Amino acid sequence: MNAMRSHADEHRVQMDRGTTVDMGQMKQVVKIYPPGSAYMVGDGFPVRNFIPGAGLGERLSPFLLLDYAGPKTFPPTDHPRGVGEHPHRGFETVTIVYEGMVAHRDSAGNAGTIGPGDVQWMTAASGIVHEEMHEKEFARQGGTLHAIQLWVNLPKAAKMSKPGYQTLLSGDIPTVALDGGAGRIRVIAGQCRGATGPAKTFTPVQLYDLRVNAGHRVDLDLPNGHNAALFVLSGRVAVNGVQTVNEAELALLDQSGARLTIEARKDATILVLGGEPIDEPVARYGPFVMNTQQEIVQAIQDYQAGKMGHLT
Ligand code: MN
């Protein structure tokens, strides 16, 4: 943990001193991770976990969790599956839907339904309770659910701020076509090729939904000093011409370096994650992520006392 922190400091100092980002320096693959544990979230989200997974821990700060749900086909039902009322405090949950429809409502009075191409960015901050369900009509007809949930940490200064909610519909997410029919990038958060993602974030985050067509190559820039990873949902890619990343694998990239190349061996769908590390202590317990154990105890007490509200 300490070694990781001082590593991050080195980069920050480097950036503060001169912002001399060496564009020639490649962001190398550090390690390729298969899924960690597989489990069911409620009765509606069969997931494979990649962050913290088997060994990533907080290495990808500010990303605390990546659960990959499905793809799984559910039979028709009049009783929508999902996960019932539960709390969160201290971070944001980001749900990206590829197939299916997910409905959410929370104790701050926010509700929404998201489908293919849509993203829900829910800021739990000081605390909410919510439910995440298959949308009623989707459940009734049955179909394939395919989604990702990320947990994005909040800096200490924002952990107890007011809860928030952003519905980022597909149409609000800019799409950049890649030269020569290589594919396209949808910019959910951060900036890429002149497009700015609609997500409002507390610390700098890059989140791109990238498709690369078989046989094509894409050059991508990511900030030097940021943590970053590529998660391959489908297909197979070669990164920087050397490392092969297969379907349902996550490639951890080096903090240093600012450029990488992605070459699709098969049509590939990739989630690109990047962010400035939050260099603060992490105390996590279930749905709560704070800075100290004492704050975790407080979160449990506040939830039990009803201070995070109830669904109505
Ligand atoms: Mn939740």
Side-chain angles (χ1 to χ4, degrees), residues 45-310:
F45 302 97
V47 305
R48 286 172 278 176
N49 179 263
F50 286 84
I51 306 171
L56 269 164
E58 270 91 48
R59 171 63 182 81
L60 268 166
S61 169
F63 302 101
L64 296 163
L65 176 137
L66 190 163
D67 270 349
Y68 182 39
K72 179 175 166 59
T73 303
F74 288 89
T77 175
D78 288 328
H79 303 282
R81 296 162 189 271
V83 51
E85 187 168 333
H86 62 279
H88 292 292
R89 172 181 278 181
F91 61 99
E92 306 186 278
T93 67
V94 177
T95 307
I96 304 165
V97 175
Y98 293 86
E99 292 174 85
M101 296 283 279
V102 177
H104 153 102
R105 63 191 185 103
D106 69 37
S107 56
N110 296 305
T113 299
I114 54 169
D118 301 335
V119 177
Q120 178 208 78
W121 202 291
M122 201 273 299
T123 306
S126 64
I128 53 99
V129 299
H130 74 161
E131 65 172 21
E132 299 158 275
M133 306 296 293
H134 294 190
E135 187 268 336
K136 220 171 168 180
E137 194 51 37
F138 168 69
R140 188 170 293 152
Q141 295 189 1
T144 302
L145 181 89
H146 189 197
I148 286 177
Q149 185 163 87
L150 299 167
W151 290 7
V152 179
N153 205 3
L154 289 171
K156 185 177 171 57
K159 278 186 182 289
M160 291 302 283
S161 60
K162 200 169 152 260
Y165 186 77
Q166 305 172 68
T167 299
L168 312 173
L169 296 176
S170 184
D172 303 327
I173 297 170
T175 300
V176 181
L178 300 169
D179 291 344
R184 55 108 178 116
I185 300 181
R186 298 173 68 241
V187 184
I188 299 164
Q191 295 189 314
C192 184
R193 295 171 192 244
T196 300
K200 293 183 191 72
T201 65
F202 286 78
T203 59
V205 167
Q206 297 86 41
L207 197 59
Y208 312 145
D209 170 19
L210 171 64
R211 308 284 161 103
V212 187
N213 296 324
H216 288 270
R217 195 186 106 161
V218 177
D219 298 325
L220 204 60
D221 295 328
L222 285 168
N224 186 25
H226 278 202
N227 284 330
L230 304 176
F231 176 60
V232 177
L233 288 85
S234 63
R236 186 167 71 244
V237 300
V239 181
N240 298 334
V242 280
Q243 281 96 349
T244 301
V245 190
N246 292 298
E247 180 172 310
E249 289 182 344
L250 182 142
L252 173 69
L253 301 169
D254 203 338
Q255 281 185 335
S256 65
R259 168 157 292 184
L260 66 149
T261 68
I262 301 170
E263 201 175 336
R265 304 288 193 226
K266 281 165 67 179
D267 286 352
T269 299
I270 302 151
L271 185 68
V272 180
L273 307 102
E276 185 181 87
I278 297 175
D279 193 14
E280 294 170 348
V282 173
R284 61 196 288 174
Y285 178 77
F288 308 124
V289 184
M290 303 300 290
N291 301 112
T292 68
Q293 208 49 47
Q294 196 180 344
E295 290 166 342
I296 291 291
V297 171
Q298 188 66 52
I300 295 166
Q301 287 173 354
D302 287 352
Y303 168 58
Q304 286 172 345
K307 290 182 182 172
M308 296 181 191
H310 293 285

